[in-house]
Structures are given as structure tokens and as C-alpha cells.
Amino acid sequence: MFEKNVADVIRNEYQNWKKYDKVFISSPTGTGKTYFILHVLLPYVSQQEKKILYLVNRRILKEQLESEISSFPFELRESIRIELYQTIEIKMSEVKYDSQNRTHRALGYLSVWINPVDYDFVVCDECHYFLADSNYNTNTGLSFRWLQDMFSSKIRIFLSATITDIKEYIISDDWKRRFGRTICYGFHGKSTIAAQVVCQGKTWEYMAQANYDYLNVHIINKEDGISELVMNEKGKWLIFVDNINFGEKLKKVCK
């Protein structure tokens, strides 16, 4: 069932989310994913004296979110931290392998920079970043591995308009780790029994759908039809083209 707003879809179910749970929220731009996190979940988390780690994939988005929460009451501001995936990847690239002790040592940043113990929720905004950006950023696997290994016991919330592929990837990774034994980031390998707990959390899925009823959709088969439509209709137009020459032609014709 589709609803138009994320908060309407989730309602009060966020109060039932527990440790080890995975939450997948699939909805396009304009359906209130960020609003839900900042204006619904955050006050609840703050009231519970817990904290959110909010991960984003673009610096401008990080700045926008930080600007928005700067006007929040002190208690709310202190209950959320916003970081870039790319910053995590830079930190991870500083990890050195100690062949003598057979452990990874992260130059102390794991406990000093971001201590997972401090957070109860981790939000992965635009989580398709892990797969989509991997075509040109080979470090996306570092932030993904860090998230999976360090925050598996937390409530992990994944936000995306295109969540299907990454959701399957995350669920598959959790199942692989269920019986896996790893030694990384300065921690000793988990026993098989302990690792199984990772996959025992509940998976929550929510879908929201944007309302595009206000749009007047036209199908134009000829290039000349675009200029005719623009000239005959009132208002401003934003037109995307894949040919710069055609774009320049439209600008001249539609002045």
C-alpha cells in the first residue's frame, strides 16, 4: 500500500524498532524522508536520551542539514551528528595492518572520532551510494564495511528513492556475516553464535509515493513541438536537453 508521506506511512511504528533491526524507507524526493528523521524521529530519540548518526553522500547536503538543525533546541542538536560517507572512507584508508598481531589498527580514530557506543540509530541517506557510486569511487566499500561491522547491533535506517538493489545487497551481506568470523578494526573475531545475533533483528520496509497531480504532462514527438508549447503556455520552463546545440536553438526561439 502506498502513502504520499513517509511520516504517514510509518506512523508510530518507529517506537517499536529495536536493536539489530534494519529499516528500509523507499520514497522519491519530496515525500518527507528527511522531515521524518529530523522532526519525528529525532525528538523521540532525544527524549529517550539516545543519539542518531546521520550519514550523507554530498557535502552540500551535509551543510544544509547542519544549517537546519542549528535552529533546533540544544537537546535536539546534541542528539544527532551528520557525517559524509567520504570522510569515513578517508579515515578507513588510514587503517594500517599489523601482520605480527594480525589485527587492523585505525590510528585511534574508531574510539575518538566516532564511537559506535555513543549511537543507537544510524541513518544512511541516499544509501544507493554504496552501489551506484562504486563505478567511479572504489572506496564506497570501505564505508559500507565500516557501517556493517561497527553498527550491526544498532537500528540501521536506509533511505533511498531506488532502494531495491541496495536492500538486497545489505540483506545478503547480513546473511553472509551470520556465519562469518572476522578480525578487523582492532577487534577480535566474533564467534559464530555471537555473529548470528546480527541477523536476528527485524526488517521493516516502508514505501511512500510523491503526489504529482499538480503536473501537466505533455508527450512531444518533434523538436519543434517544444518551442511551440513553450511559446503558447504561460509561466517559466525548465528544460533538460542532451544536445547543447539544440539547447541554444531553444533559447533563441523561446525568447
Side-chain angles (χ1 to χ4, degrees), residues 77-215:
R77 297 199 308 270
E78 289 298 298
S79 298
I80 188 169
R81 176 173 177 175
I82 302 169
E83 291 292 347
L84 287 164
Y85 295 117
Q86 292 88 342
T87 304
I88 294 170
E89 291 156 13
I90 291 173
K91 296 288 184 178
M92 287 300 300
S93 67
E94 296 172 353
V95 176
K96 293 184 178 180
Y97 181 68
D98 187 334
S99 58
Q100 183 176 359
N101 296 322
R102 295 187 178 182
T103 61
H104 286 77
R105 294 182 177 177
L107 307 179
Y109 86 87
L110 286 175
S111 59
V112 176
W113 184 59
I114 294 181
N115 188 348
V117 175
D118 295 337
Y119 302 92
D120 301 273
F121 296 76
V122 57
V123 176
C124 298
D125 201 0
E126 306 293 350
C127 62
H128 54 267
Y129 163 84
F130 295 123
L131 292 181
D133 285 34
S134 63
N135 291 327
Y136 54 86
N137 176 11
T138 56
N139 288 329
T140 60
L142 294 177
S143 54
F144 178 76
R145 188 76 277 133
W146 178 82
L147 167 73
Q148 288 288 87
D149 288 346
M150 303 301 291
F151 290 86
S152 61
S153 64
K154 311 298 180 177
I155 298 173
R156 289 171 289 163
I157 303 173
F158 301 96
L159 312 178
S160 178
T162 54
I163 206 167
T164 301
D165 290 341
I166 187 61
K167 179 184 71 175
E168 293 175 356
Y169 186 74
I170 292 166
I171 292 175
S172 174
D173 185 74
D174 273 0
W175 276 96
K176 289 177 182 178
R177 293 171 65 252
R178 179 177 181 179
F179 301 104
R181 298 173 61 90
T182 59
I183 300 177
C184 56
Y185 313 136
F187 291 87
H188 294 293
K190 302 182 181 74
S191 68
T192 303
I193 295 176
Q196 286 180 1
V197 177
V198 173
C199 293
Q200 289 181 350
K202 184 175 180 179
T203 298
W204 304 77
E205 297 184 47
Y206 303 96
M207 289 186 178
Q209 188 175 28
N211 182 6
Y212 295 120
D213 292 343
Y214 64 92
L215 295 178

Side-chain angles (χ1 to χ4, degrees), residues 2 21 29 34 41 102 165 180 183 222 227 233 239 252:
F2 286 93
D21 284 359
T29 301
T34 303
L41 183 64
R102 295 187 178 182
D165 290 341
I183 300 177
K222 297 181 179 179
S227 58
E233 295 282 346
I239 302 173
K252 293 178 181 179

